[in-house]
Amino acid sequence: MFAANARTISRMEPALRRVVIVDANLSSARLLTDIVKGMGAREVYSEGDEERALELLRDVEPGVIFTERSGDRLNGETLARRIRRSSMSCRMSPIIMVTGEATAAAIKGARDAGIHEFLRKPFTTGDLFKRVENVTLKPRPWIEAVGYVGPDRRRFNSGEYSGARKRRSDGAAGGGPAEIRDQASRILVSAMSQFEQDPSQATRAIRQQAETLNGLAIKTADARLAMAVATLQAYVASGQVTKAGLAQPIGTVVTAARAANEAAPVARAS
């Protein structure tokens, strides 16, 4: 029989105050409702239609979202993408896909849509608890780009992995300064190149990366990077943003970030 640690449930409670379940199968939705209430969820709402689910999400502002992969009027991957690219306050809320369609393509599709965790039906209460614990107590770095918006895909369902940690960022929430500068620079360049395809999301991605780099510049006392980022932020705030206009400020930021990485001490293998 599953028995959850009371302290863990208490820590998860804030995120579970409001939960939305998107599943056209009423029996599945009821079962999931009962289980999450047992984990401390106070308000649980359910909907089976994608469009109505989006309206519900705008009104409810849930801390955790569960969705099926498919239904008569539901595409879970599309729903996740629409949430991630929206202006809703819950756009960054954890999304857990609970579905019987557990093919490799389904798992990859969920990951690339911005889903936090994937759980195959039928599942045990312990399986579900593990997923909820992962998304509420083990946050992953957020990626705000143009082609992808959501949690760091490299750590998808990371709670199930028990092998050796090999990435430089393992053991640190968002990686070291060099990795942060490198990733932010790549996203900035990508956002500029794709600006005309999706100006709104490209601008959002640029703002996010500028904020990330500004915080890092302050933390590392990097005046050059801080000034370059400030210029970029001022340009974006002007409201007259164009792809051509982004070239110089983004180029300056990338150059400053690269210089900071080159100046950083090289870690020596022991």
Side-chain angles (χ1 to χ4, degrees):
M1 180 180 291
F2 172 76
N5 180 282
R7 182 180 179 186
T8 300
I9 289 180
S10 177
R11 292 172 60 207
M12 289 163 48
E13 185 180 358
L16 289 172
R17 283 180 184 143
R18 291 193 195 90
V19 172
V20 166
I21 298 169
V22 187
D23 191 337
N25 186 311
L26 294 179
S27 296
S28 294
R30 289 194 191 102
L31 174 62
L32 191 51
T33 296
D34 291 341
I35 295 175
V36 296
K37 281 186 175 179
M39 293 180 188
R42 298 181 183 179
E43 301 174 36
V44 183
Y45 305 83
S46 62
E47 182 55 74
D49 178 275
E50 185 175 324
E51 296 301 328
R52 290 201 298 265
L54 285 168
E55 291 300 322
L56 177 62
L57 290 165
R58 289 189 183 93
D59 294 337
V60 173
E61 301 179 0
V64 178
I65 302 165
F66 294 90
T67 185
E68 238 295 354
R69 183 168 186 259
S70 61
D72 290 340
R73 295 180 300 279
L74 169 66
N75 182 313
E77 292 175 13
T78 301
L79 175 65
R81 288 192 178 91
R82 294 175 73 180
I83 293 170
R84 297 307 187 212
R85 294 170 181 274
S86 73
S87 59
M88 293 189 291
S89 61
C90 66
R91 64 182 294 267
M92 296 174 69
S93 293
I95 303 177
I96 301 175
M97 181 171 281
V98 186
T99 179
E101 303 176 59
T103 64
I107 294 171
K108 183 178 184 299
R111 182 200 67 182
D112 292 345
I115 301 288
H116 275 74
E117 294 277 347
F118 190 97
L119 179 60
R120 179 176 60 185
K121 296 177 181 177
F123 56 85
T124 67
T125 301
D127 291 333
L128 181 63
F129 183 87
K130 188 174 183 179
R131 299 302 192 282
V132 176
E133 182 182 15
N134 283 346
V135 302
T136 57
L137 303 184
K138 303 171 185 178
R140 289 151 57 193
W142 184 261
I143 306 300
E144 192 79 52
V146 179
Y148 174 76
V149 181
D152 190 340
R153 288 178 288 187
R154 297 173 302 171
R155 300 188 178 201
F156 187 73
N157 273 7
S158 58
E160 295 185 340
Y161 180 67
S162 59
R165 301 293 179 177
K166 299 179 180 179
R167 297 192 185 102
R168 285 182 300 166
S169 59
D170 286 328
E179 184 178 44
I180 293 172
R181 283 187 289 259
D182 182 61
Q183 177 170 271
S185 296
R186 286 187 282 107
I187 293 176
L188 284 173
V189 172
S190 177
M192 179 180 66
S193 67
Q194 300 178 63
F195 185 84
E196 293 172 345
Q197 299 172 32
D198 191 345
S200 177
Q201 181 55 39
T203 300
R204 176 184 276 171
I206 291 168
R207 283 200 186 101
Q208 179 63 50
Q209 302 315 313
E211 289 176 9
T212 297
L213 288 173
N214 183 59
L216 182 60
I218 293 173
K219 183 178 179 180
T220 58
D222 187 335
R224 179 180 178 181
L225 181 58
M227 291 179 63
V229 170
T231 299
L232 174 59
Q233 290 177 314
Y235 176 68
V236 173
S238 72
Q240 304 297 319
V241 184
T242 65
K243 180 178 179 180
L246 286 167
Q248 182 173 346
I250 285 182
T252 302
V253 169
V254 171
T255 299
R258 185 180 299 120
N261 282 353
E262 291 174 350
V266 178
R268 297 181 181 277
S270 57

